[in-house]
Structures are given as C-alpha cells and as structure tokens.
Amino acid sequence: MHHVRTSHTTSTTRRAGRRRPVAVAASVLASALLLAACGSRDEGTGGGASGDGTTTVTIGFDAPLSKDLAAVGLGMKNSAELAVKKANQDKTVPGVTFELVAKDDQATPNIGQQNAAAFVADESVIGVVGAYNSSVSAAMVSTLRDAGMAQISGANTAAALTQGADYETAPRREYDNYFRTISTDAVAAPVMAEYFFDDLKVEKLATVDDKKTYGVGIVDSFTDAYEKLGGKVVVHQSLNPDESDYAAVVNSVKSSGAQGVFYGGEYPQAGSLKKQLVAAGFDGPLGGGDAVKDDELVSIAGAAAANGTYAHSDGAPIDKLDSAKDFISAYEAAGYEQPYGVFGAYVYDATTALVQAVKAAVEGNGGKAGKVTELRPKVVDALQDVTFDGATRKVGFDEYGDSVNQVISVNGVQDGTWVNGIDVVTVKD
C-alpha cells in the first residue's frame, strides 16, 4: 500500500466499476424538521400500512445500548435515527415510511445472534444497521444472509468480516449481504504502526489484546506492519475485559523493556490500563484502534494519565469536514444526551445507504414495496451499487462490500483532551 500523509485535509481516490450507481444529495434536514419528524421506536413488530396510506418498512438497528459501551452505542443509534427521520421528511422512497427498531446486544455475540433472528422473524424489517462489535456482527451475519437480508455497519473494522479469514493472502467475500462504511483494521493498523515507529520513535513495543475478534485482529494487523518497519514486539499479553485489575499485564510490560504499548480492545479497558500503567511508573505512549477513541477514556484514566494515548479514526476529523456540517448541526439541534462519537457519521451514512438501496429496489419492483420479505434480497443486490456523497464524503462499496473511502486519522490525548487529526493519511492501493 502507498500512504499519502496530509495535514488536516485529505483526498480520496475513487474506484471505477460501479454498476447502476444510485446517486443522492448530501444535504440534510433543517434542525427544526428533524426534531419534528417521526420514525423511531425501540422494540416491536410494526409493518403494514401507515396512517397516511404508505407502507411502513422497518430498519433494524443493533448495538450495545447498556452497560460499559452504552455511550458509543446510543450515539450510533441516535445517528441512525436522524437518517431515518430525514428519509421520511424528504419522502426519499415514495410510498414508504421508514421506522427504526433498535435492539441492545450488550456487546455480546449470542445476544446479537438472537437479535438477528428476531429481525428476520419480523416481516416488516428490510435490513439491519449494526453492530458495533465485530464479534457481534460475526455472530449475526449468517442468520441475516440466510434470510436474504442486508447488514451494514458504520463501526465494524475486522477485515475477516468482508474478506474472510485469509484476507491477507487470499481475500474472499463470504457474505454478499454484509457491507460497511468504515475502513478495516488491515487499512488502519499500518497507519498506526508507522506513527509509532516513525513519529513517536518507539522501536520496542508491548501488545495487549482483550481476546475479542476486534482486539485480536487489530493487534495482529498492527504487529505485522510494525515488524515490517523494523520494530520489535517484546511481549504480548491478553487481559480479561470483565476484570478491572491488570497488575499482571502492567508488570509484564514494565519488565519487558517496552517503550510503548499497543492495545487491541475498547476504551473502558484502555482507559483503565493506561491509568494503571502510569501509576506503576510506565511513561510510554499507549496506542489503539478506533474503539479506544472516546472521551470517556479520559474520564476513566484521569486527564493526566490519559495524556500520551493515541488512536486512529476513519476519515479526516468529522468536525473538520464540510460534508459533515449539516449532520453535526442536526445532531446538536436534536438535543441528544450522548455525543455522536467516532462512529456516528458513519452510521448515519450506513443508514442512508440502506435507505437508498430500498429506493432502488422499490423502483425496480414497479414502484411498489410489496411484501418486505420478498424485497429483502433485491435490497442486498441494490446496496452493492449504492454511491453518494455523504457526511463522511464518498460512500460506496468495493467488490468485498468494504468502503471505497480509505482515509485514516491519528488522534492523541494532549493536556487531558483528544486532539483530532494529528496526522491524516490517505491510503491508496
């Protein structure tokens, strides 16, 4: 891969080969309309004719809405809700009213699988947006595929979900119903490896994972790239994310001679690990993937201890993108308690992509939604060809269902605050 590094601005390379592109405008609702619009519920079956004579089509949503990861999951849910409200206000699909049904997977794969089965059984559900955890999506995707139902995530980054277990040497698409609007760890981890080795001058490193699909995968991708650059991983450890005392891991890191740590996992554990490392006298940087990039990490670690934490995020910083201004203003106007976070804009675009696929499928069905269960596979086919300019800039999918927009930002905690876009890298094949 070839990386082009920029300062707070990016350019993307568009890929050719899109069939029957489905173009949409990038504008979003005025904030007042968003607050007034309807189109969300938490549970239920729904479906059928609505009061205005249109057909109600349900979009399923899955993420952790309780426990440790509730803040990020609720920010994602709110973003999906905004996209549904916009589709209804704009009458994006004539004759169709969309409704969002959100389910809490508690970041647990077997609950995610149960949620997938429930979505399949609900004959009003056209497709699913989610999950947050790659391990949860891995548990959901086959159930949804067997029902001919699309799944699209704005947060999953495990490369195996789209390109199979042998993605590094023999990529193969296993699930043609699965798509994502965010880059994979195989794209992002090498950027972090370069930053640690070239910019932070860390030549000896400890790696730690949380034993989950995402954590193990990103550590593997990071390690491969880091060692190719000449870096040495002097120790590797795993922690139990359900525990809070990481003394054994901390002692192992300290005694290894490592100059820094790369953690594969999520912000609650990363914050605790950074706090315990600093308390033990370890002053090296801690890096991680996009699941580490959350304001709660600073609260958990403490402002002083959190300094020197680095994490990547997809795309250029959202608050610096002109394309995201309407999304941000609409989100703020809606008055949500939770921030949209790292993944909100990507979930917004993922939900919009699913809506556009429904539009194309309905148009190809004589302008009628018909029976939703029969429309599901047509939506999967249409989603492959959706392309538009979204909040995160270019939205579209390659032959694996991966995002065509591959720009990675490196972010760091300085003076107790995340500084976004310390380094912005455009990745080209």
Side-chain angles (χ1 to χ4, degrees):
M1 287 187 176
H2 173 63
H3 295 172
V4 178
R5 306 179 83 163
T6 63
S7 176
H8 302 299
T9 58
T10 65
S11 61
T12 57
T13 301
R14 299 192 176 188
R15 298 188 181 188
R18 294 264 59 82
R19 296 174 293 116
R20 307 190 312 276
V22 182
V24 299
S27 61
V28 299
L29 280 178
S31 58
L33 292 177
L34 280 170
L35 288 168
C38 62
S40 178
R41 59 193 171 100
D42 288 331
E43 297 288 351
T45 55
S50 61
D52 60 3
T54 63
T55 299
T56 299
V57 172
T58 302
I59 292 176
F61 176 85
D62 179 273
L65 304 177
S66 62
K67 299 187 175 181
D68 287 351
L69 297 172
V72 68
L74 289 168
M76 292 167 59
K77 172 182 174 287
N78 297 340
S79 301
E81 183 178 272
L82 284 181
V84 168
K85 287 178 177 180
K86 180 182 187 301
N88 287 337
Q89 182 64 35
D90 289 355
K91 301 187 187 305
T92 300
V93 186
V96 170
T97 297
F98 289 99
E99 199 165 11
L100 188 76
V101 172
K103 292 186 180 294
D104 179 12
D105 61 34
Q106 299 179 38
T108 305
N110 69 324
I111 297 178
Q113 197 282 327
Q114 294 167 17
N115 291 346
F119 286 134
V120 169
D122 183 344
E123 295 186 353
S124 75
V125 177
I126 194 65
V128 175
V129 177
Y132 166 69
N133 303 85
S134 292
S135 56
V136 174
S137 281
M140 297 175 68
V141 64
S142 62
T143 297
L144 298 174
R145 178 202 56 192
D146 291 346
M149 186 183 293
Q151 179 180 1
I152 182 167
S153 175
N156 294 159
T157 58
L161 283 168
T162 44
Q163 299 185 36
D166 298 325
Y167 63 88
E168 290 184 330
T169 57
R172 181 179 67 86
R173 189 171 189 177
E174 186 172 359
Y175 302 106
D176 63 359
N177 66 314
Y178 179 87
F179 302 81
R180 57 178 137 209
T181 53
I182 195 166
S183 296
T184 72
D185 295 332
V187 173
V191 173
M192 288 299 295
E194 287 183 7
Y195 192 78
F196 262 68
F197 189 78
D198 293 335
D199 293 76
L200 299 182
K201 308 301 181 184
V202 173
E203 298 180 355
K204 295 188 296 182
L205 190 113
T207 57
V208 182
D209 68 60
D210 63 357
K211 304 179 184 178
K212 296 182 182 180
T213 299
Y214 167 78
V216 172
I218 196 168
V219 165
D220 286 347
S221 294
F222 178 92
T223 299
D224 288 346
Y226 183 70
E227 290 180 340
K228 286 177 182 176
L229 292 170
K232 182 178 181 181
V233 174
V234 293
V235 65
H236 172 74
Q237 292 285 311
S238 295
L239 57 76
N240 184 341
D242 295 324
E243 296 178 353
S244 58
D245 185 353
Y246 306 139
V249 172
V250 170
N251 290 335
S252 177
V253 170
K254 281 195 66 181
S255 63
S256 70
Q259 300 167 317
V261 178
F262 185 82
Y263 176 66
E266 293 145 349
Y267 66 86
Q269 293 74 31
S272 294
L273 178 60
K274 187 66 163 66
K275 181 178 182 178
Q276 293 175 45
L277 284 166
V278 171
F282 184 82
D283 61 359
L286 182 143
D290 47 10
V292 167
K293 172 68 168 62
D294 196 280
D295 290 341
E296 283 296 309
L297 177 138
V298 178
S299 300
I300 293 167
N307 290 335
T309 302
Y310 299 88
H312 79 256
S313 58
D314 210 53
I318 292 298
D319 58 359
K320 293 180 174 66
L321 288 179
D322 288 342
S323 59
K325 285 182 178 178
D326 287 342
F327 163 74
I328 293 171
S329 63
Y331 195 98
E332 292 174 348
Y336 293 119
E337 288 185 26
Q338 305 82 13
Y340 53 81
V342 174
F343 305 102
Y346 294 90
V347 171
Y348 179 87
D349 282 348
T351 309
T352 301
L354 184 56
V355 167
Q356 289 299 316
V358 173
K359 178 182 180 181
V362 168
E363 288 174 350
N365 203 41
K368 302 291 184 181
K371 191 173 182 180
V372 171
T373 53
E374 294 177 358
L375 193 67
R376 287 172 177 173
K378 298 177 182 178
V379 170
V380 172
D381 290 342
L383 189 52
Q384 181 65 57
D385 301 312
V386 166
T387 180
F388 61 96
D389 293 326
T392 61
R393 299 178 71 177
K394 178 72 173 180
V395 177
F397 310 101
D398 66 13
E399 65 269 31
Y400 301 106
D402 283 327
S403 171
V404 298
N405 185 5
Q406 296 186 353
V407 178
I408 304 297
S409 290
V410 177
N411 317 286
V413 179
Q414 299 174 0
D415 297 325
T417 302
W418 280 104
V419 177
N420 299 328
I422 292 173
D423 194 21
V424 179
V425 179
T426 298
V427 180
K428 297 181 179 179
D429 288 341

